[in-house]
PDB file of all heavy atoms in Angstrom:
ATOM      1  N   ALA A  87     -22.914  -3.670  31.219  1.00 98.00           N
ATOM      2  CA  ALA A  87     -21.849  -2.732  31.449  1.00 98.00           C
ATOM      3  C   ALA A  87     -22.369  -1.315  31.190  1.00 98.00           C
ATOM      4  O   ALA A  87     -22.685  -0.941  30.054  1.00 98.00           O
ATOM      5  CB  ALA A  87     -20.674  -2.999  30.485  1.00 98.00           C
ATOM      6  N   GLN A  92     -20.569   8.543  30.954  1.00 98.00           N
ATOM      7  CA  GLN A  92     -19.828   8.643  29.709  1.00 98.00           C
ATOM      8  C   GLN A  92     -20.709   9.018  28.545  1.00 98.00           C
ATOM      9  O   GLN A  92     -20.341   8.854  27.366  1.00 98.00           O
ATOM     10  CB  GLN A  92     -19.141   7.277  29.415  1.00 98.00           C
ATOM     11  CG  GLN A  92     -18.150   6.868  30.509  1.00 98.00           C
ATOM     12  CD  GLN A  92     -17.506   5.512  30.332  1.00 98.00           C
ATOM     13  OE1 GLN A  92     -17.267   4.810  31.282  1.00 98.00           O
ATOM     14  NE2 GLN A  92     -17.189   5.139  29.098  1.00 98.00           N
ATOM     15  N   SER A 112     -16.502  -1.412  21.815  1.00 98.00           N
ATOM     16  CA  SER A 112     -16.299  -2.400  22.885  1.00 98.00           C
ATOM     17  C   SER A 112     -17.735  -2.791  23.350  1.00 98.00           C
ATOM     18  O   SER A 112     -18.688  -2.692  22.573  1.00 98.00           O
ATOM     19  CB  SER A 112     -15.490  -1.785  24.002  1.00 98.00           C
ATOM     20  OG  SER A 112     -16.295  -1.033  24.886  1.00 98.00           O
ATOM     21  N   TYR A 113     -17.863  -3.157  24.606  1.00 98.00           N
ATOM     22  CA  TYR A 113     -19.173  -3.640  25.137  1.00 98.00           C
ATOM     23  C   TYR A 113     -19.900  -2.536  25.890  1.00 98.00           C
ATOM     24  O   TYR A 113     -20.945  -2.788  26.456  1.00 98.00           O
ATOM     25  CB  TYR A 113     -18.888  -4.786  26.109  1.00 98.00           C
ATOM     26  CG  TYR A 113     -17.698  -4.448  26.981  1.00 98.00           C
ATOM     27  CD1 TYR A 113     -17.805  -3.582  28.032  1.00 98.00           C
ATOM     28  CD2 TYR A 113     -16.416  -4.921  26.675  1.00 98.00           C
ATOM     29  CE1 TYR A 113     -16.732  -3.165  28.768  1.00 98.00           C
ATOM     30  CE2 TYR A 113     -15.341  -4.549  27.376  1.00 98.00           C
ATOM     31  CZ  TYR A 113     -15.480  -3.648  28.449  1.00 98.00           C
ATOM     32  OH  TYR A 113     -14.382  -3.252  29.151  1.00 98.00           O
ATOM     33  N   ARG A 114     -19.309  -1.317  25.958  1.00 98.00           N
ATOM     34  CA  ARG A 114     -19.916  -0.295  26.816  1.00 98.00           C
ATOM     35  C   ARG A 114     -20.540   0.851  25.974  1.00 98.00           C
ATOM     36  O   ARG A 114     -20.765   1.920  26.462  1.00 98.00           O
ATOM     37  CB  ARG A 114     -18.850   0.281  27.753  1.00 98.00           C
ATOM     38  CG  ARG A 114     -19.378   0.966  29.012  1.00 98.00           C
ATOM     39  CD  ARG A 114     -18.290   1.619  29.825  1.00 98.00           C
ATOM     40  NE  ARG A 114     -17.427   0.649  30.479  1.00 98.00           N
ATOM     41  CZ  ARG A 114     -17.759  -0.124  31.507  1.00 98.00           C
ATOM     42  NH1 ARG A 114     -18.937  -0.048  32.015  1.00 98.00           N
ATOM     43  NH2 ARG A 114     -16.878  -0.996  31.992  1.00 98.00           N
ATOM     44  N   GLU A 115     -20.797   0.568  24.735  1.00 98.00           N
ATOM     45  CA  GLU A 115     -21.083   1.662  23.789  1.00 98.00           C
ATOM     46  C   GLU A 115     -22.568   1.875  23.447  1.00 98.00           C
ATOM     47  O   GLU A 115     -22.912   2.156  22.331  1.00 98.00           O
ATOM     48  CB  GLU A 115     -20.287   1.440  22.524  1.00 98.00           C
ATOM     49  CG  GLU A 115     -19.002   2.225  22.432  1.00 98.00           C
ATOM     50  CD  GLU A 115     -17.912   1.787  23.394  1.00 98.00           C
ATOM     51  OE1 GLU A 115     -17.223   0.814  23.138  1.00 98.00           O
ATOM     52  OE2 GLU A 115     -17.769   2.493  24.444  1.00 98.00           O
ATOM     53  N   ILE A 153     -15.859  -8.048  23.142  1.00 97.00           N
ATOM     54  CA  ILE A 153     -15.624  -8.257  24.580  1.00 97.00           C
ATOM     55  C   ILE A 153     -14.149  -8.483  24.885  1.00 97.00           C
ATOM     56  O   ILE A 153     -13.664  -8.114  25.919  1.00 97.00           O
ATOM     57  CB  ILE A 153     -16.524  -9.428  25.038  1.00 97.00           C
ATOM     58  CG1 ILE A 153     -17.970  -8.936  24.964  1.00 97.00           C
ATOM     59  CG2 ILE A 153     -16.148  -9.869  26.462  1.00 97.00           C
ATOM     60  CD1 ILE A 153     -18.993 -10.035  25.224  1.00 97.00           C
ATOM     61  N   SER A 154     -13.459  -9.082  23.900  1.00 98.00           N
ATOM     62  CA  SER A 154     -12.019  -9.351  24.102  1.00 98.00           C
ATOM     63  C   SER A 154     -11.296  -8.001  23.902  1.00 98.00           C
ATOM     64  O   SER A 154     -11.301  -7.430  22.831  1.00 98.00           O
ATOM     65  CB  SER A 154     -11.640 -10.391  23.046  1.00 98.00           C
ATOM     66  OG  SER A 154     -10.327 -10.750  23.266  1.00 98.00           O
ATOM     67  N   ILE A 155     -10.731  -7.531  24.966  1.00 98.00           N
ATOM     68  CA  ILE A 155     -10.281  -6.130  25.063  1.00 98.00           C
ATOM     69  C   ILE A 155      -9.315  -5.759  23.928  1.00 98.00           C
ATOM     70  O   ILE A 155      -8.318  -6.440  23.694  1.00 98.00           O
ATOM     71  CB  ILE A 155      -9.611  -5.870  26.429  1.00 98.00           C
ATOM     72  CG1 ILE A 155     -10.612  -6.117  27.573  1.00 98.00           C
ATOM     73  CG2 ILE A 155      -9.068  -4.445  26.495  1.00 98.00           C
ATOM     74  CD1 ILE A 155     -11.786  -5.227  27.636  1.00 98.00           C
ATOM     75  N   ALA A 156      -9.604  -4.685  23.294  1.00 98.00           N
ATOM     76  CA  ALA A 156      -8.738  -3.988  22.279  1.00 98.00           C
ATOM     77  C   ALA A 156      -8.644  -4.727  20.956  1.00 98.00           C
ATOM     78  O   ALA A 156      -8.096  -4.181  19.991  1.00 98.00           O
ATOM     79  CB  ALA A 156      -7.307  -3.784  22.821  1.00 98.00           C
ATOM     80  N   THR A 157      -9.250  -5.908  20.848  1.00 98.00           N
ATOM     81  CA  THR A 157      -9.084  -6.632  19.565  1.00 98.00           C
ATOM     82  C   THR A 157      -9.786  -5.912  18.411  1.00 98.00           C
ATOM     83  O   THR A 157      -9.350  -6.027  17.269  1.00 98.00           O
ATOM     84  CB  THR A 157      -9.662  -8.054  19.701  1.00 98.00           C
ATOM     85  OG1 THR A 157     -11.012  -7.988  20.192  1.00 98.00           O
ATOM     86  CG2 THR A 157      -8.840  -8.899  20.654  1.00 98.00           C
ATOM     87  N   MET A 182     -12.675   2.359  22.605  1.00 98.00           N
ATOM     88  CA  MET A 182     -11.939   1.480  23.536  1.00 98.00           C
ATOM     89  C   MET A 182     -11.762   2.182  24.860  1.00 98.00           C
ATOM     90  O   MET A 182     -11.923   3.418  24.968  1.00 98.00           O
ATOM     91  CB  MET A 182     -10.592   1.040  22.921  1.00 98.00           C
ATOM     92  CG  MET A 182      -9.752   2.179  22.433  1.00 98.00           C
ATOM     93  SD  MET A 182      -8.649   1.689  21.081  1.00 98.00           S
ATOM     94  CE  MET A 182      -7.451   0.695  21.978  1.00 98.00           C
ATOM     95  N   GLY A 183     -11.355   1.403  25.870  1.00 98.00           N
ATOM     96  CA  GLY A 183     -11.175   1.965  27.210  1.00 98.00           C
ATOM     97  C   GLY A 183      -9.716   2.257  27.499  1.00 98.00           C
ATOM     98  O   GLY A 183      -8.841   1.960  26.693  1.00 98.00           O
ATOM     99  N   ASP A 184      -9.479   2.877  28.654  1.00 98.00           N
ATOM    100  CA  ASP A 184      -8.067   3.192  29.029  1.00 98.00           C
ATOM    101  C   ASP A 184      -7.291   1.910  29.237  1.00 98.00           C
ATOM    102  O   ASP A 184      -6.136   1.800  28.808  1.00 98.00           O
ATOM    103  CB  ASP A 184      -8.045   4.069  30.288  1.00 98.00           C
ATOM    104  CG  ASP A 184      -9.026   3.583  31.365  1.00 98.00           C
ATOM    105  OD1 ASP A 184     -10.242   3.759  31.175  1.00 98.00           O
ATOM    106  OD2 ASP A 184      -8.589   3.032  32.378  1.00 98.00           O
ATOM    107  N   GLY A 185      -7.921   0.917  29.838  1.00 98.00           N
ATOM    108  CA  GLY A 185      -7.188  -0.339  30.065  1.00 98.00           C
ATOM    109  C   GLY A 185      -6.788  -0.968  28.736  1.00 98.00           C
ATOM    110  O   GLY A 185      -5.729  -1.557  28.603  1.00 98.00           O
ATOM    111  N   ALA A 186      -7.663  -0.826  27.746  1.00 98.00           N
ATOM    112  CA  ALA A 186      -7.412  -1.441  26.443  1.00 98.00           C
ATOM    113  C   ALA A 186      -6.119  -0.918  25.820  1.00 98.00           C
ATOM    114  O   ALA A 186      -5.517  -1.631  25.010  1.00 98.00           O
ATOM    115  CB  ALA A 186      -8.605  -1.134  25.513  1.00 98.00           C
ATOM    116  N   THR A 187      -5.718   0.289  26.183  1.00 98.00           N
ATOM    117  CA  THR A 187      -4.510   0.821  25.544  1.00 98.00           C
ATOM    118  C   THR A 187      -3.234   0.085  25.971  1.00 98.00           C
ATOM    119  O   THR A 187      -2.164   0.294  25.378  1.00 98.00           O
ATOM    120  CB  THR A 187      -4.349   2.350  25.829  1.00 98.00           C
ATOM    121  OG1 THR A 187      -4.139   2.534  27.244  1.00 98.00           O
ATOM    122  CG2 THR A 187      -5.531   3.143  25.329  1.00 98.00           C
ATOM    123  N   GLU A 189      -3.101  -3.184  25.892  1.00 98.00           N
ATOM    124  CA  GLU A 189      -3.043  -4.470  25.168  1.00 98.00           C
ATOM    125  C   GLU A 189      -2.136  -4.383  23.949  1.00 98.00           C
ATOM    126  O   GLU A 189      -2.048  -3.318  23.284  1.00 98.00           O
ATOM    127  CB  GLU A 189      -4.448  -4.857  24.684  1.00 98.00           C
ATOM    128  CG  GLU A 189      -5.358  -5.345  25.786  1.00 98.00           C
ATOM    129  CD  GLU A 189      -5.161  -6.801  26.152  1.00 98.00           C
ATOM    130  OE1 GLU A 189      -4.223  -7.458  25.640  1.00 98.00           O
ATOM    131  OE2 GLU A 189      -5.987  -7.343  26.929  1.00 98.00           O
ATOM    132  N   GLN A 211     -12.020   6.160  25.725  1.00 98.00           N
ATOM    133  CA  GLN A 211     -12.695   6.766  26.871  1.00 98.00           C
ATOM    134  C   GLN A 211     -11.905   6.381  28.113  1.00 98.00           C
ATOM    135  O   GLN A 211     -11.975   5.249  28.566  1.00 98.00           O
ATOM    136  CB  GLN A 211     -14.126   6.203  26.960  1.00 98.00           C
ATOM    137  CG  GLN A 211     -15.021   6.691  25.834  1.00 98.00           C
ATOM    138  CD  GLN A 211     -16.325   5.916  25.771  1.00 98.00           C
ATOM    139  OE1 GLN A 211     -17.229   6.219  26.522  1.00 98.00           O
ATOM    140  NE2 GLN A 211     -16.404   4.950  24.904  1.00 98.00           N
ATOM    141  N   ASN A 213     -12.049   6.294  31.409  1.00 98.00           N
ATOM    142  CA  ASN A 213     -13.039   6.403  32.501  1.00 98.00           C
ATOM    143  C   ASN A 213     -12.387   6.107  33.855  1.00 98.00           C
ATOM    144  O   ASN A 213     -13.038   5.755  34.811  1.00 98.00           O
ATOM    145  CB  ASN A 213     -14.286   5.560  32.235  1.00 98.00           C
ATOM    146  CG  ASN A 213     -13.975   4.060  32.229  1.00 98.00           C
ATOM    147  OD1 ASN A 213     -12.866   3.642  32.570  1.00 98.00           O
ATOM    148  ND2 ASN A 213     -14.949   3.249  31.890  1.00 98.00           N
ATOM    149  N   GLN A 214     -11.071   6.168  33.881  1.00 98.00           N
ATOM    150  CA  GLN A 214     -10.235   6.090  35.072  1.00 98.00           C
ATOM    151  C   GLN A 214      -9.984   4.686  35.588  1.00 98.00           C
ATOM    152  O   GLN A 214      -9.053   4.470  36.384  1.00 98.00           O
ATOM    153  CB  GLN A 214     -10.778   6.973  36.215  1.00 98.00           C
ATOM    154  CG  GLN A 214     -11.158   8.390  35.822  1.00 98.00           C
ATOM    155  CD  GLN A 214      -9.975   9.156  35.222  1.00 98.00           C
ATOM    156  OE1 GLN A 214      -8.836   8.998  35.644  1.00 98.00           O
ATOM    157  NE2 GLN A 214     -10.253   9.925  34.183  1.00 98.00           N
ATOM    158  N   TYR A 215     -10.796   3.742  35.175  1.00 98.00           N
ATOM    159  CA  TYR A 215     -10.623   2.379  35.708  1.00 98.00           C
ATOM    160  C   TYR A 215     -10.763   1.312  34.605  1.00 98.00           C
ATOM    161  O   TYR A 215     -11.528   1.474  33.689  1.00 98.00           O
ATOM    162  CB  TYR A 215     -11.659   2.054  36.771  1.00 98.00           C
ATOM    163  CG  TYR A 215     -11.430   2.815  38.061  1.00 98.00           C
ATOM    164  CD1 TYR A 215     -12.070   4.018  38.275  1.00 98.00           C
ATOM    165  CD2 TYR A 215     -10.553   2.306  39.041  1.00 98.00           C
ATOM    166  CE1 TYR A 215     -11.844   4.745  39.453  1.00 98.00           C
ATOM    167  CE2 TYR A 215     -10.339   3.030  40.205  1.00 98.00           C
ATOM    168  CZ  TYR A 215     -10.945   4.249  40.407  1.00 98.00           C
ATOM    169  OH  TYR A 215     -10.715   4.966  41.526  1.00 98.00           O
ATOM    170  N   ALA A 216     -10.007   0.231  34.775  1.00 97.00           N
ATOM    171  CA  ALA A 216     -10.241  -1.021  34.028  1.00 97.00           C
ATOM    172  C   ALA A 216     -10.668  -2.018  35.122  1.00 97.00           C
ATOM    173  O   ALA A 216      -9.808  -2.501  35.859  1.00 97.00           O
ATOM    174  CB  ALA A 216      -8.983  -1.441  33.313  1.00 97.00           C
ATOM    175  N   ILE A 217     -11.939  -2.235  35.223  1.00 97.00           N
ATOM    176  CA  ILE A 217     -12.548  -2.867  36.401  1.00 97.00           C
ATOM    177  C   ILE A 217     -12.034  -2.132  37.647  1.00 97.00           C
ATOM    178  O   ILE A 217     -12.411  -0.969  37.861  1.00 97.00           O
ATOM    179  CB  ILE A 217     -12.307  -4.394  36.484  1.00 97.00           C
ATOM    180  CG1 ILE A 217     -12.704  -5.073  35.145  1.00 97.00           C
ATOM    181  CG2 ILE A 217     -13.176  -4.973  37.604  1.00 97.00           C
ATOM    182  CD1 ILE A 217     -12.648  -6.601  35.126  1.00 97.00           C
ATOM    183  N   VAL A 219      -8.668  -1.557  38.349  1.00 97.00           N
ATOM    184  CA  VAL A 219      -7.297  -1.063  38.201  1.00 97.00           C
ATOM    185  C   VAL A 219      -7.305   0.367  37.650  1.00 97.00           C
ATOM    186  O   VAL A 219      -7.823   0.620  36.552  1.00 97.00           O
ATOM    187  CB  VAL A 219      -6.462  -2.007  37.284  1.00 97.00           C
ATOM    188  CG1 VAL A 219      -5.028  -1.492  37.169  1.00 97.00           C
ATOM    189  CG2 VAL A 219      -6.482  -3.421  37.821  1.00 97.00           C
ATOM    190  N   GLN A 224      -1.943   1.539  34.283  1.00 97.00           N
ATOM    191  CA  GLN A 224      -1.903   1.110  32.878  1.00 97.00           C
ATOM    192  C   GLN A 224      -0.740   1.658  32.119  1.00 97.00           C
ATOM    193  O   GLN A 224      -0.265   1.077  31.177  1.00 97.00           O
ATOM    194  CB  GLN A 224      -3.218   1.520  32.138  1.00 97.00           C
ATOM    195  CG  GLN A 224      -4.466   0.919  32.700  1.00 97.00           C
ATOM    196  CD  GLN A 224      -4.539  -0.600  32.615  1.00 97.00           C
ATOM    197  OE1 GLN A 224      -3.749  -1.216  31.877  1.00 97.00           O
ATOM    198  NE2 GLN A 224      -5.422  -1.183  33.398  1.00 97.00           N
ATOM    199  N   ARG A 278     -16.461   6.534  34.957  1.00 98.00           N
ATOM    200  CA  ARG A 278     -17.504   5.524  34.970  1.00 98.00           C
ATOM    201  C   ARG A 278     -18.256   5.648  36.289  1.00 98.00           C
ATOM    202  O   ARG A 278     -17.696   5.328  37.326  1.00 98.00           O
ATOM    203  CB  ARG A 278     -16.833   4.168  34.862  1.00 98.00           C
ATOM    204  CG  ARG A 278     -17.711   2.986  34.567  1.00 98.00           C
ATOM    205  CD  ARG A 278     -16.963   1.709  34.827  1.00 98.00           C
ATOM    206  NE  ARG A 278     -16.875   1.475  36.269  1.00 98.00           N
ATOM    207  CZ  ARG A 278     -15.875   0.866  36.900  1.00 98.00           C
ATOM    208  NH1 ARG A 278     -14.825   0.415  36.201  1.00 98.00           N
ATOM    209  NH2 ARG A 278     -15.891   0.700  38.191  1.00 98.00           N
ATOM    210  N   HIS A 282     -18.135  -1.438  37.234  1.00 97.00           N
ATOM    211  CA  HIS A 282     -17.643  -1.863  35.906  1.00 97.00           C
ATOM    212  C   HIS A 282     -18.713  -2.558  35.103  1.00 97.00           C
ATOM    213  O   HIS A 282     -18.978  -2.237  33.940  1.00 97.00           O
ATOM    214  CB  HIS A 282     -16.434  -2.789  36.116  1.00 97.00           C
ATOM    215  CG  HIS A 282     -16.001  -3.502  34.866  1.00 97.00           C
ATOM    216  ND1 HIS A 282     -15.452  -2.844  33.798  1.00 97.00           N
ATOM    217  CD2 HIS A 282     -16.155  -4.782  34.480  1.00 97.00           C
ATOM    218  CE1 HIS A 282     -15.237  -3.731  32.817  1.00 97.00           C
ATOM    219  NE2 HIS A 282     -15.619  -4.886  33.200  1.00 97.00           N
ATOM    220  N   THR A 283     -19.317  -3.566  35.731  1.00 96.00           N
ATOM    221  CA  THR A 283     -20.531  -4.170  35.189  1.00 96.00           C
ATOM    222  C   THR A 283     -21.402  -4.431  36.397  1.00 96.00           C
ATOM    223  O   THR A 283     -21.005  -4.243  37.559  1.00 96.00           O
ATOM    224  CB  THR A 283     -20.297  -5.529  34.506  1.00 96.00           C
ATOM    225  OG1 THR A 283     -19.838  -6.464  35.486  1.00 96.00           O
ATOM    226  CG2 THR A 283     -19.248  -5.413  33.377  1.00 96.00           C
TER     227      THR A 283
ATOM    228  N   GLU B 118      -5.204 -15.088  19.263  1.00 98.00           N
ATOM    229  CA  GLU B 118      -6.470 -14.522  19.703  1.00 98.00           C
ATOM    230  C   GLU B 118      -7.307 -14.021  18.518  1.00 98.00           C
ATOM    231  O   GLU B 118      -8.489 -14.256  18.461  1.00 98.00           O
ATOM    232  CB  GLU B 118      -6.255 -13.365  20.680  1.00 98.00           C
ATOM    233  CG  GLU B 118      -7.588 -12.835  21.177  1.00 98.00           C
ATOM    234  CD  GLU B 118      -7.470 -11.705  22.130  1.00 98.00           C
ATOM    235  OE1 GLU B 118      -6.553 -10.890  22.004  1.00 98.00           O
ATOM    236  OE2 GLU B 118      -8.361 -11.650  23.020  1.00 98.00           O
TER     237      GLU B 118
HETATM  238  C1  TPP C  22      -8.282  -9.698  26.533  1.00 59.28           C
HETATM  239  C2  TPP C  22      -9.181  -9.504  27.730  1.00 59.28           C
HETATM  240  N1  TPP C  22      -8.618  -9.606  28.966  1.00 59.28           N
HETATM  241  C3  TPP C  22      -9.396  -9.468  30.067  1.00 59.28           C
HETATM  242  C4  TPP C  22     -10.750  -9.224  29.959  1.00 59.28           C
HETATM  243  C5  TPP C  22     -11.634  -9.085  31.182  1.00 59.28           C
HETATM  244  N2  TPP C  22     -12.018  -7.650  31.271  1.00 59.28           N
HETATM  245  C6  TPP C  22     -13.257  -7.265  30.838  1.00 59.28           C
HETATM  246  S1  TPP C  22     -13.455  -5.648  30.918  1.00 59.28           S
HETATM  247  C7  TPP C  22     -11.913  -5.410  31.568  1.00 59.28           C
HETATM  248  C8  TPP C  22     -11.428  -4.010  31.881  1.00 59.28           C
HETATM  249  C9  TPP C  22     -11.411  -3.160  30.645  1.00 59.28           C
HETATM  250  O1  TPP C  22     -11.079  -1.834  30.995  1.00 59.28           O
HETATM  251  P1  TPP C  22     -11.050  -0.629  29.967  1.00 59.28           P
HETATM  252  O2  TPP C  22     -10.379  -1.039  28.715  1.00 59.28           O
HETATM  253  O3  TPP C  22     -10.508   0.527  30.651  1.00 59.28           O
HETATM  254  O4  TPP C  22     -12.579  -0.394  29.559  1.00 59.28           O
HETATM  255  P2  TPP C  22     -13.817  -0.071  30.496  1.00 59.28           P
HETATM  256  O5  TPP C  22     -14.409  -1.394  30.960  1.00 59.28           O
HETATM  257  O6  TPP C  22     -13.360   0.754  31.621  1.00 59.28           O
HETATM  258  O7  TPP C  22     -14.796   0.626  29.641  1.00 59.28           O
HETATM  259  C10 TPP C  22     -11.287  -6.620  31.771  1.00 59.28           C
HETATM  260  C11 TPP C  22      -9.965  -6.801  32.362  1.00 59.28           C
HETATM  261  C12 TPP C  22     -11.280  -9.160  28.645  1.00 59.28           C
HETATM  262  N3  TPP C  22     -12.568  -8.968  28.421  1.00 59.28           N
HETATM  263  N4  TPP C  22     -10.469  -9.289  27.568  1.00 59.28           N
END
Side-chain angles (χ1 to χ4, degrees):
Chain A
Q92 300 177 218
S112 83
Y113 43 77
R114 200 184 292 289
E115 261 70 79
I153 293 173
S154 186
I155 300 294
T157 53
M182 52 208 287
D184 43 289
T187 63
E189 287 277 8
Q211 292 168 80
N213 66 7
Q214 311 303 322
Y215 289 93
I217 310 186
V219 181
Q224 298 297 345
R278 192 194 76 212
H282 168 69
T283 66
Chain B
E118 183 180 35

